[in-house]
Amino acid sequence: MNHYPFEFDPKQPFVRQASDWIADVFYERLPEAGFEIRDEQIYMAFQLERAYAEKRTIFAEAGVGTGKTLVYLLYAISYARYTRKPAVIACADESLIEQLVKPEGDIAKLARHLDLTVDARLGKSADQYVCLNKLDDARGDFEDAELFDRIYRELPSFVNRPDSLQRFHPYGSRRDYPHLNDEQWSRIGWDVFQDCLVCERRHRCGQTLSRDHYRKSADLIICSHDFYMEHVWTYDARKREGQLPLLPEHSSVVFDEGHLLETAAQNALTYKLNHSVFESIITRLLQDEIRESLALAVEEAITQSEFVFRLIDRGSERVEGSNRKEIAWSAELLKEINRLQDTLTVIEEELVFESGLYTIDAYQLRIVEEHLEMIQFALSLFKREDKPISWVSRDKEGLSLVIMPKWVKEVLKEHVFSRKMPVVFSSATLSVGGSFDYMADLLGIEDALSFSVPSPYEYADSMSLLVPRADVPMSTPDKTRAIHRLLRQSGGRSLILFPSMEQLASYKAEAGQDGETEGFTMLYEGTAEISSLIERFQRDETSVLCAVTLWEGLDIPGPSLSQVIVWELPFPPNDPLFASRRADAASPFEQVDMPYMLLRLKQGIGRLIRARDDRGTVVLFGDKMTDAAIREQVRGILPEDVGLAILDEE
């Protein structure tokens, strides 16, 4: 591989030379290969030059069709080779990282037309890999036992036999099992309660092998926002434990669809407490010859933990439109949490004495101590004046208490934005009303460069936007009938976007009753691995894709996506996370709900026109579209010269 894609002069600033080469690429090399010259790309390239030269954060807002991905890839690759450290490209979710490296994707285009060999590797989150222990458990279940047994038999030979290390290779990714729905995958995929440090099979685990692979990348590591934020949040702890951080030292980071980073940061900074997991870990102490006082303390802690979770279950209420339950805090619950902490403190004190007797296996002792430390810290947050955000979730592990500190800004500022490193936020929607203040405030960014370039497409000629009459509210059956009429008119070829899985399920149930969708291939998020659903949607021109997580990043030019239907305006749910944001805002609806909705809606609308020749329709449903003020704000985010037209009725 040529180290630099241009003739490098060590006497001249590297970034300036890279910028000159990138300008030549857009003015000469790519046009010679059949690409059109885009002034927006040239403008963006010169803006990024300053961010890389000064090692600063930049908000790079560029509309659909500007070719922003090619620009940041060229800078990231060049700078990675200059610094001898890979660049990190963090995408909004796991499905988008697959799109970036697909054979017809932007990285492949650059490699082909610029005669580059680009070393790009995927860094997937742990929950994207099979857990060998969970797979063993699933094989023993009556339900789907044959399915999981077949997956077991198809594992590489080295997994369950001591084969030579030279034969090891990455395996077990979620993408390798597109036929599994989300519920089936949850039974064999890694989850937060898996104790990898003490797993005897960790060195033959697909997740571990994948980590070894992507760390060796010379140019690019492509991961999700969630994965990058987990790297940030666990960096110090992993160093203390003698483990490698999730990501190696890197030269720059690009947050593609960067407007979603704050959500990923919040998700990473969470503590998940579960009684059954706590009991399984703490009872490891009882397997050794320990003193009676420690054994009694363990039993008391288990009893108290069980009681606390019963109180939490009894006092939590389901939140509509969210998979979270809100906790009804009471003086009794807080008192019992304090009592649980006291019992855990007794165990910690006993373990100090016990460790000196060497009666407990050192490795097991370390795991228990770390789990107790995590629980103690998470519960101590409730004693702070600035109370954490908390909610309850329920899955196959039972009831879990999720606790999220509010200091996301501080963590990001210290571990990401204070570093002397180029940080690029790339998205078509980073500003609200022409200002980047909303995003900067969410992320705690005090000093950043910024620019905005519009899409080069003529939307007035390529897009029509329809809305129902403002004076006639639509019921769910009315909306379903209207959508099916639209699908018949378009011959499928539609993406239907939902704000929540609950609303998608509601539509799916309604659609299954009237038989109007029998002529179409209906693809529903959650029924298979998301990347495989996207591929099927693109291949089958008359199919319909119903999704919750594809408001951003989905890039399907051509007739397969000729209609975007928005089931409901994507206002944030009324769950504890957004309730906390609203409580901290002087004007919650204007400062929290509307900016979130407008950014997401603008992204959803942007799924339609992905190439200059694309044509199609966007249809906006939603109860709040009857509100004149909201309707006017929606009108304000539309591309120039695209207005709202009234949807025809039967």
Side-chain angles (χ1 to χ4, degrees):
M1 164 175 23
N2 294 329
H3 192 69
Y4 299 120
F6 53 85
E7 196 68 35
F8 174 58
D9 182 357
K11 298 178 182 178
Q12 301 297 323
F14 174 82
V15 174
R16 172 58 61 86
Q17 295 179 71
S19 183
D20 290 342
W21 171 71
I22 291 169
D24 289 340
V25 167
F26 289 124
Y27 277 124
E28 297 179 9
R29 298 285 298 276
L30 291 182
E32 288 174 0
F35 290 72
E36 63 177 296
I37 296 177
R38 296 178 180 175
D39 292 337
E40 294 84 4
Q41 284 180 317
I42 306 299
Y43 179 78
M44 181 176 177
F46 283 115
Q47 296 296 319
L48 289 193
E49 176 187 353
R50 184 180 173 191
Y52 275 83
E54 300 177 11
K55 301 178 183 177
R56 293 178 64 185
T57 297
I58 185 168
F59 290 117
E61 183 177 60
V64 176
T66 55
K68 54 184 175 291
T69 306
L70 295 179
V71 182
Y72 72 61
L73 283 174
L74 288 171
Y75 270 103
I77 293 168
S78 300
Y79 198 66
R81 296 185 179 186
Y82 174 63
T83 59
R84 307 293 202 277
K85 298 175 184 176
V88 172
I89 311 296
C91 302
D93 57 43
E94 299 290 340
S95 66
L96 299 182
I97 72 176
E98 297 280 0
Q99 291 194 58
L100 202 54
V101 296
K102 62 186 179 182
E104 67 276 19
D106 287 329
I107 293 175
K109 289 177 184 176
L110 289 179
R112 183 166 62 251
H113 296 299
L114 300 181
D115 194 25
L116 287 174
T117 301
V118 181
D119 186 4
R121 309 188 188 191
L122 299 184
K124 295 187 177 183
S125 298
D127 61 6
Q128 294 295 303
Y129 289 93
V130 166
C131 171
L132 298 175
N133 294 326
K134 288 180 67 176
L135 178 59
D136 286 345
D137 292 340
R139 290 171 62 214
D141 292 344
F142 178 76
E143 184 182 2
D144 292 327
E146 184 178 345
L147 169 67
F148 295 130
D149 196 55
R150 185 168 66 250
I151 292 173
Y152 174 83
R153 292 195 304 270
E154 292 172 354
L155 292 173
S157 61
F158 61 74
V159 174
N160 295 303
R161 295 205 310 264
D163 287 10
S164 168
L165 288 173
Q166 281 86 344
R167 296 181 58 191
F168 278 30
H169 58 83
Y171 73 93
S173 167
R174 173 70 173 101
R175 184 171 170 78
D176 297 336
Y177 306 100
H179 56 287
L180 298 183
N181 61 37
D182 286 357
E183 193 280 329
Q184 290 169 328
W185 175 256
S186 71
R187 294 172 62 194
I188 65 170
W190 183 94
D191 62 58
V192 70
F193 294 122
Q194 299 310 301
D195 199 354
C196 299
L197 279 177
V198 296
C199 179
E200 295 178 352
R201 307 166 81 181
R202 64 187 182 278
H203 296 306
R204 294 175 181 267
C205 168
Q207 178 194 156
T208 304
L209 298 176
S210 170
R211 222 163 258 178
D212 291 340
H213 175 71
Y214 71 68
R215 282 194 179 106
K216 296 180 176 70
S217 176
D219 292 328
L220 303 175
I221 297 175
I222 304 166
C223 66
S224 67
H225 290 180
D226 286 342
F227 189 70
Y228 189 85
M229 292 315 305
E230 185 183 355
H231 159 74
V232 169
W233 186 234
T234 62
Y235 184 89
D236 291 336
R238 293 180 70 88
K239 284 278 195 178
R240 283 197 308 269
E241 295 164 1
Q243 301 181 74
L244 289 172
L246 294 179
L247 292 168
E249 289 299 314
H250 42 281
S251 55
S252 65
V253 59
V254 177
F255 294 114
D256 200 3
E257 305 298 352
H259 62 287
L260 296 175
L261 181 65
E262 194 257 355
T263 301
Q266 291 277 18
N267 292 337
L269 300 178
T270 58
Y271 298 91
K272 192 172 182 180
L273 312 186
N274 179 283
H275 170 71
S276 62
V277 173
F278 166 72
E279 184 174 7
S280 68
I281 290 177
I282 200 73
T283 50
R284 295 178 183 186
L285 298 176
L286 302 178
Q287 297 172 8
D288 297 294
E289 293 294 330
I290 60 174
R291 292 172 300 116
E292 183 180 5
S293 57
L294 175 56
L296 291 173
V298 168
E299 291 176 5
E300 183 180 354
I302 291 172
T303 302
Q304 182 62 21
S305 171
E306 189 174 22
F307 181 62
V308 165
F309 275 89
R310 274 206 307 271
L311 287 178
I312 291 173
D313 191 21
R314 198 162 60 219
S316 58
E317 298 179 355
R318 180 177 169 275
V319 177
E320 186 175 352
S322 172
N323 58 0
R324 299 165 177 167
K325 296 177 72 176
E326 191 168 8
I327 303 171
W329 289 100
S330 65
E332 180 188 12
L333 178 54
L334 290 172
K335 183 179 76 172
E336 295 303 332
I337 285 178
N338 288 336
R339 184 173 294 172
L340 174 59
Q341 283 191 276
D342 291 341
T343 62
L344 297 181
T345 299
V346 172
I347 294 177
E348 289 174 324
E349 292 171 350
E350 290 283 346
L351 289 178
V352 172
F353 185 81
E354 198 76 37
S355 62
L357 300 177
Y358 301 102
T359 55
I360 303 176
D361 177 77
Y363 205 53
Q364 296 287 350
L365 179 62
R366 177 181 165 195
I367 294 301
V368 173
E369 287 177 333
E370 287 179 357
H371 196 71
L372 291 177
E373 181 182 350
M374 181 272 289
I375 295 175
Q376 288 280 47
F377 180 77
L379 295 179
S380 71
L381 296 175
F382 291 111
K383 296 179 180 179
R384 294 167 58 107
E385 183 177 344
D386 187 21
K387 293 287 191 295
I389 304 163
S390 57
W391 64 86
V392 171
S393 64
R394 184 183 290 279
D395 52 29
K396 61 185 181 56
E397 298 288 348
L399 197 73
S400 294
L401 171 62
V402 185
I403 302 170
M404 178 187 293
K406 289 186 177 180
W407 55 69
V408 170
K409 292 182 184 180
E410 289 79 356
V411 173
L412 290 174
K413 183 176 180 180
E414 179 182 354
H415 293 282
V416 181
F417 304 123
S418 66
R419 298 182 60 190
K420 199 68 174 169
M421 178 179 71
V423 178
V424 179
F425 284 85
S426 173
S427 175
T429 54
L430 289 170
S431 65
V432 179
S435 170
F436 294 91
D437 290 347
Y438 174 72
M439 286 300 306
D441 182 62
L442 274 181
L443 298 167
I445 300 174
E446 297 176 353
D447 177 40
L449 304 170
S450 64
F451 71 91
S452 182
V453 291
S455 169
Y457 297 154
E458 299 292 337
Y459 284 97
D461 299 328
S462 59
M463 174 192 291
S464 58
L465 200 146
L466 305 176
V467 296
R469 288 172 51 190
D471 58 339
V472 182
M474 298 184 77
S475 65
T476 295
D478 291 339
K479 197 188 303 186
T480 302
R481 283 193 294 271
I483 287 175
H484 292 167
R485 187 171 70 252
L486 290 164
L487 295 182
R488 290 194 298 272
Q489 292 171 359
S490 64
R493 301 179 175 86
S494 299
L495 169 69
I496 308 179
L497 292 171
F498 299 82
S500 70
M501 290 300 293
E502 185 178 62
Q503 293 182 60
L504 185 151
S506 175
Y507 165 75
K508 184 178 179 182
E510 188 76 29
Q513 292 178 0
D514 63 15
E516 292 293 325
T517 60
E518 288 182 1
F520 304 107
T521 302
M522 301 297 292
L523 305 173
Y524 295 97
E525 182 174 351
T527 59
E529 193 269 332
I530 189 67
S531 296
S532 67
L533 288 177
I534 293 171
E535 289 177 3
R536 289 177 61 191
F537 176 58
Q538 189 165 15
R539 258 194 334 266
D540 183 349
E541 223 180 82
T542 59
S543 61
V544 179
L545 177 57
C546 302
V548 173
T549 63
L550 297 179
W551 294 78
E552 297 89 6
L554 183 67
D555 186 16
I556 301 182
S560 291
L561 206 173
S562 299
Q563 183 168 246
V564 173
I565 300 174
V566 174
W567 174 263
E568 191 78 34
L569 294 183
F571 282 98
N574 189 33
D575 67 12
L577 174 57
F578 284 98
S580 174
R581 292 184 189 173
R582 294 181 186 107
D584 293 336
S587 181
F589 188 73
E590 288 75 16
Q591 292 177 267
V592 178
D593 292 57
M594 280 303 295
Y596 176 93
M597 185 278 287
L598 292 172
L599 283 175
R600 200 156 202 228
L601 179 61
K602 191 174 180 181
Q603 280 285 339
I605 292 171
R607 298 313 98 211
L608 180 67
I609 305 299
R610 307 303 300 177
R612 196 175 294 277
D613 296 334
D614 280 356
R615 298 290 184 271
T617 304
V618 174
V619 187
L620 303 182
F621 291 101
D623 295 340
K624 290 188 170 61
M625 283 299 291
T626 59
D627 186 306
I630 292 177
R631 209 173 174 109
E632 191 58 34
Q633 292 212 51
V634 168
R635 194 187 304 272
I637 68 167
L638 300 181
E640 190 175 353
D641 298 327
V642 174
L644 300 178
I646 301 301
L647 178 66
D648 291 335
E649 299 180 2
E650 279 187 306

